[in-house]
Amino acid sequence: MKFDYSRYDKLSVQLDGAVLRLTLNRPEKRNIIDDPVNEQISDAFHDATFDERVRCVVLSGEGKSFCGGGDFAQMKRKVEDPGLFFKGIWNSRRLVYTVLDCPKPTIARIHGHAMGLGATLPLLCDFVVATDDTKIADPHVNIGLVAGDGGSLIWPQMMGYAKARKFLMLGEPITGREAADLGLIAESAPTLEDATAIADRWIERLANGASMSIYGTKMTINQPLRQLAHAAMDTGMAYEGLSNISRDHAEAIEAIGEKRKPNFSGE
């Protein structure tokens, strides 16, 4: 089977020896993830699974931040036409499953901001390193949405339910250093250069290690999480779909356009 990584036009996908490097490369848009970007990320993890040349996958973002989250213009369209949200459910489910099902070790290096899906995506990876001042958050509730596209799945599994409830139900950010201390991510570092050095050390060992044993260990570790994902994602996306047609979400999207604070009614 041949893999043509030049076909990717929504993100940078490059094979560097045994390392497949995925880079969110729209810094002028804060590397936001819309449905086309989402689809190509899933495609890239799928390719990594079956490309025998790939022994490690690395995820990063260009510019000042890793990812600003979802596309508000797309959210507005889904408020106006809820059928678009339903169609997008399959992309959301596929992304979570494809990342968790990839047997190759996955490393995420994040900095700046990692928001919403821009937090969920790296947290689904095996190793995450962030700069100490990275702001990590899943602020779905702040715009009247349920954190159903993976955040409610992965945050409690990484840091425990008590802490995850605080950050998900209040929509509060956590710094990279705090995230490392609480077990949400593996490590943090003072600067991006330091974080890159840590990621490079992991890459060196994983790309040159005993791959079959690494793959099998990963899949054994991930098996309960994969089972949980299949049990939880449909429920999460169903609740998020209901919140997509709520008055509060419509108010939040309108408030974003008008650059004001939303006035939530609880409906």
Side-chain angles (χ1 to χ4, degrees), residues 27-254:
E28 73 283 358
K29 294 186 176 182
R30 301 177 295 116
N31 294 327
I32 57 175
I33 300 176
D34 57 16
D35 285 346
V37 175
N38 187 316
E39 183 176 352
Q40 289 202 359
I41 294 171
S42 295
D43 287 346
F45 277 97
H46 179 271
D47 286 352
T49 295
F50 294 99
D51 188 343
E52 294 183 356
R53 299 171 297 176
V54 176
R55 300 176 70 181
C56 182
V57 182
V58 179
L59 178 67
S60 61
E62 286 185 7
K64 296 180 179 180
S65 289
F66 171 72
C67 177
D71 181 356
F72 287 119
Q74 178 175 271
M75 291 181 197
K76 186 174 186 296
R77 291 194 296 271
K78 290 181 178 180
V79 168
E80 296 167 348
D81 181 0
L84 294 176
F85 182 93
F86 183 81
K87 294 176 182 177
I89 286 176
W90 316 117
N91 270 341
S92 298
R93 293 167 78 254
R94 179 174 178 248
L95 180 64
V96 171
Y97 299 153
T98 306
V99 176
L100 292 179
D101 286 343
C102 178
K104 314 295 175 68
T106 54
I107 295 169
R109 189 203 68 200
I110 60 178
H111 68 288
H113 289 77
M115 299 286 156
L117 185 56
T120 299
L121 175 59
L123 293 179
L124 292 169
C125 293
D126 303 313
F127 297 79
V128 185
V129 59
T131 56
D132 289 344
D133 60 354
T134 300
K135 294 292 189 296
I136 306 169
D138 192 330
H140 273 69
V141 296
N142 294 342
I143 56 170
L145 280 178
V146 171
D149 61 355
S152 294
L153 164 71
I154 195 63
W155 284 65
Q157 302 308 308
M158 303 305 290
M159 69 191 317
Y161 281 84
K163 292 295 185 182
R165 289 187 184 105
K166 171 187 174 183
F167 292 108
L168 293 175
M169 295 173 68
L170 297 178
E172 293 184 345
I174 183 173
T175 67
R177 184 171 183 177
E178 291 170 328
D181 289 342
L182 292 174
L184 184 65
I185 65 174
E187 291 191 38
S188 72
T191 68
L192 183 56
E193 290 75 17
D194 294 330
T196 300
I198 291 171
D200 286 345
R201 288 198 296 272
W202 293 339
I203 294 165
E204 175 68 21
R205 293 191 63 178
L206 293 167
N208 295 286
S211 293
M212 293 300 294
S213 64
I214 292 172
Y215 301 168
T217 299
K218 167 180 175 167
M219 298 309 289
T220 303
I221 291 171
N222 270 11
Q223 181 62 11
L225 184 56
R226 292 163 64 210
Q227 292 176 326
L228 184 60
H230 281 273
M233 281 300 295
D234 286 343
T235 299
M237 292 308 300
Y239 275 117
E240 187 168 340
L242 289 174
S243 65
N244 179 69
I245 59 175
S246 69
R247 293 181 182 177
D248 279 345
H249 180 53
E251 160 64 11
I253 295 301
E254 185 176 326

